[in-house]
Amino acid sequence: QTHLLSLSLQAKMSRPVQARRLEGIDKNIWVEFVKLAATYSTVNLGQGFPDFPPPDFLKEAFVRALSGENHMLHQYTRAFGHPPLVKILAQFFGKLLGRDLDPMTNVMVTVGAYQALFCCFQAFVDDGDEVIIIEPFFDCYEPMVKMAGGMPVFVPLRPKAPKDGKLMSSADWQLDPAELASKFSDRTKAIVLNSPNNPLGKVFSRGELEVIADLCVKYDVLCISDEVYEWLVYDGKEHIRIASLQGMWDRTVIIGSAGKTFSATGWKVGWTVGPNRLLQHLCTVHQNSVYHCATAAQEAVAQGFQRELKLYGKPESYFVQLPKELQQKRDWLVQSLDAVGMKPIIPEGTYFLVADISEFKSDVADVPDSDEPYDSRFAKWMVKNKGLAAIPLSAFYCGAHKNNYNHFIRFCFAKEEATLKAANDILQKWKREKTNP
Ligand code: PMP
């Protein structure tokens, strides 16, 4: 028995188990805030997903895929993308980009845009390579670059005060071209561009994209272009694809998501579009990790795109209707926030808007020298005490810059009218309590 006991003691592992590449990247804002929202929120404008359904034509396509005659749709399909999906994506993006695309070599399907990003960093970034990331940024870029051995280099969008008391727009947040240029060097391997940008909703103008493109060409740098919100642009703004600018096709991977395109984030169908010389390396990562994505979901998304190609630019097109609906929702939330003095920054695109909480600071005391940025404590207090969930803007900054912009929170307005009304009620009541304590 003593022998058995000592054996079992010996069997307990004592060596460190965590690979070095995971050092410092174990915290994840979504794990924390999704749990808080689930526990306390009555109105969840935190994580970015619609609480309305995808369009009927898409749901019906999925049901047909699952219950139809073709039982092969329950089995593996082509590893780099279900043939009908890569075919229609090549046609669709070929039309948008004005070039002939080969479905087999210029398109790869992924498990959401998230896996597409992961493939890019793993495929292109070597130890010590620098990757430029524009702040504020979708938070996973930083740990993904680090996991690949790379060094993220951050450059901020800087806000300019709006004219004569007007509300700020996401267009007022701009890169300083000289500051951006100072981040490029022969160590730079890639820049990550996210337009329309999560969390600000900024849609980069042609001029802004040209500055980035010129630097990419000058320093021979890749562009990882996260365009998951490509259809969600408002006020007649145009989404410009950086891959269509001079010298950029050859060095750009475009990343898209059916989650955002068709309001079905849980399906996790994403894609990459680009030249074969880049995509072939994404295929290597994909075949050695995920290998294959859910067939029936790909089939349904393929049918969704077939419909959209036929209706391109027409009023019945979902890509025309969805931004109209979301613009209305944006305007409701802008009004609600403006009315109570939580100044919104009007987004030009995406599901999101960022609002200034300065006038609400009296509700949550500042703790000088706290490790946690003020906006994070504010957002936690708000969900616990008001039942309203949002995400602190500091979550979209690197560690060293989290306190530079710590009095903003991000709301998701891709929600049913009733959800936005409930948020408005909470804000109104809060405001009344503040004015008549
Ligand atoms: N990029 C950005 C900018 C996003 O906001 C998201 C989702 N929130 C993703 C990528 C990931 O998309 P998917 O759900 O398709 O993996």
Side-chain angles (χ1 to χ4, degrees):
Q1 215 160 5
T2 339
H3 176 65
L4 277 180
L5 183 67
S6 77
L7 257 187
S8 80
L9 282 175
Q10 273 171 21
K12 236 179 156 202
M13 287 193 77
S14 56
R15 68 196 292 179
V17 291
Q18 180 208 286
R20 269 197 305 281
R21 77 178 78 85
L22 300 192
E23 265 164 31
I25 60 166
D26 52 330
K27 281 226 172 64
N28 179 299
I29 166 86
W30 304 107
V31 175
E32 191 180 10
F33 275 87
V34 166
K35 193 166 161 209
L36 278 171
T39 314
Y40 298 105
S41 78
T42 43
V43 179
N44 185 359
L45 304 188
Q47 204 186 7
F49 60 87
D51 68 352
F52 48 83
D56 285 344
F57 66 83
L58 194 79
K59 286 196 290 183
E60 284 158 14
F62 206 163
V63 171
R64 272 198 308 277
L66 290 173
S67 56
E69 296 281 286
N70 184 1
H71 62 82
M72 290 312 288
L73 293 176
H74 295 279
Q75 308 306 330
Y76 295 131
T77 180
R78 180 175 165 269
F80 307 122
H82 187 48
L85 181 55
V86 288
K87 209 170 138 208
I88 191 69
L89 286 172
Q91 260 180 285
F92 208 105
F93 280 90
K95 182 180 164 96
L96 296 174
L97 293 162
R99 62 170 63 236
D100 274 341
L101 298 184
D102 176 353
M104 296 299 145
T105 58
N106 295 136
V107 182
M108 186 183 84
V109 175
T110 54
V111 182
Y114 220 86
Q115 192 222 341
L117 289 161
F118 188 77
C119 286
C120 285
F121 296 123
Q122 289 294 320
F124 302 135
V125 177
D126 267 325
D127 272 350
D129 281 348
E130 291 186 358
V131 177
I132 297 174
I133 297 176
I134 299 167
E135 287 180 315
F137 60 92
F138 182 49
D139 63 297
C140 74
Y141 303 156
E142 181 182 7
M144 284 194 191
V145 168
K146 287 183 175 162
M147 220 192 296
M151 281 262 298
V153 172
F154 299 98
V155 58
L157 288 164
R158 295 191 180 275
K160 288 196 309 199
K163 283 182 216 107
D164 34 277
K166 280 213 308 221
L167 285 175
M168 198 181 248
S169 150
S170 55
D172 294 323
W173 290 61
Q174 292 177 4
L175 288 168
D176 171 344
E179 188 178 17
L180 177 66
S182 75
K183 305 291 175 182
F184 279 76
S185 73
D186 52 11
R187 294 183 301 278
T188 314
K189 186 70 184 281
I191 182 168
V192 187
L193 172 69
N194 174 215
S195 180
N197 161 279
N198 173 10
L200 282 174
K202 178 182 173 65
V203 177
F204 284 68
S205 68
R206 184 175 293 276
E208 290 174 310
L209 294 176
E210 278 168 356
V211 169
I212 297 170
D214 287 350
L215 287 165
C216 287
V217 171
K218 181 169 171 199
Y219 288 90
D220 202 17
V221 162
L222 292 167
C223 180
I224 300 170
S225 184
D226 179 343
E227 303 183 26
V228 299
Y229 300 103
E230 61 192 319
W231 301 106
L232 308 182
V233 288
Y234 312 129
D235 306 320
K237 278 262 150 63
E238 190 192 357
H239 169 61
I240 296 164
R241 294 174 175 76
I242 196 165
S244 68
L245 302 189
Q246 184 127 42
M248 289 307 287
W249 165 254
D250 203 37
R251 58 181 73 250
T252 303
V253 176
I254 300 173
I255 294 177
S257 164
K260 311 296 148 97
T261 299
F262 289 115
S263 315
T265 58
W267 292 18
K268 291 295 290 186
V269 176
W271 55 83
T272 55
V273 174
N276 183 39
R277 61 179 281 272
L278 302 184
L279 256 65
Q280 67 185 38
H281 305 299
L282 304 186
C283 289
T284 307
V285 179
H286 185 71
Q287 81 201 10
N288 292 308
S289 51
V290 164
Y291 188 73
H292 172 276
C293 311
T295 309
Q298 293 190 65
E299 171 72 19
V301 172
Q303 293 193 18
F305 268 105
Q306 283 157 13
R307 176 193 188 270
E308 287 303 305
L309 187 60
K310 279 199 209 104
L311 297 177
Y312 187 73
K314 301 215 170 97
E316 310 91 279
S317 157
Y318 190 65
F319 298 168
V320 172
Q321 287 172 352
L322 180 65
K324 269 199 193 149
E325 282 169 27
L326 282 171
Q327 183 172 323
Q328 169 77 78
K329 293 174 191 296
R330 175 199 68 170
D331 293 344
W332 282 329
L333 187 60
V334 163
Q335 273 163 26
S336 298
L337 291 166
D338 193 28
V340 298
M342 202 180 272
K343 281 195 215 73
I345 300 168
I346 299 174
E348 305 153 275
T350 75
Y351 282 170
F352 307 110
L353 72 73
V354 168
D356 187 331
I357 52 176
S358 299
E359 283 189 28
F360 285 69
K361 276 191 149 177
S362 56
D363 281 324
V364 185
D366 229 335
V367 181
D369 303 327
S370 161
D371 279 344
E372 186 173 16
Y374 179 78
D375 59 350
S376 174
R377 281 191 297 108
F378 185 92
K380 284 181 187 168
W381 178 89
M382 188 170 81
V383 69
K384 287 181 186 164
N385 292 277
K386 302 291 169 189
L388 180 60
I391 305 291
L393 185 64
S394 60
F396 303 89
Y397 283 84
C398 74
H401 299 162
K402 281 194 190 302
N403 270 311
N404 294 1
Y405 298 99
N406 65 0
H407 56 285
F408 295 98
I409 51 178
R410 188 201 77 172
F411 292 96
C412 172
F413 55 80
K415 303 291 172 187
E416 297 275 18
E417 190 176 347
T419 313
L420 296 170
K421 283 214 165 98
N424 182 55
D425 292 346
I426 290 175
L427 290 166
Q428 292 287 340
K429 183 159 173 266
W430 187 358
K431 178 72 178 177
R432 277 198 303 276
E433 287 162 3
K434 275 175 79 65
T435 26
N436 314 305

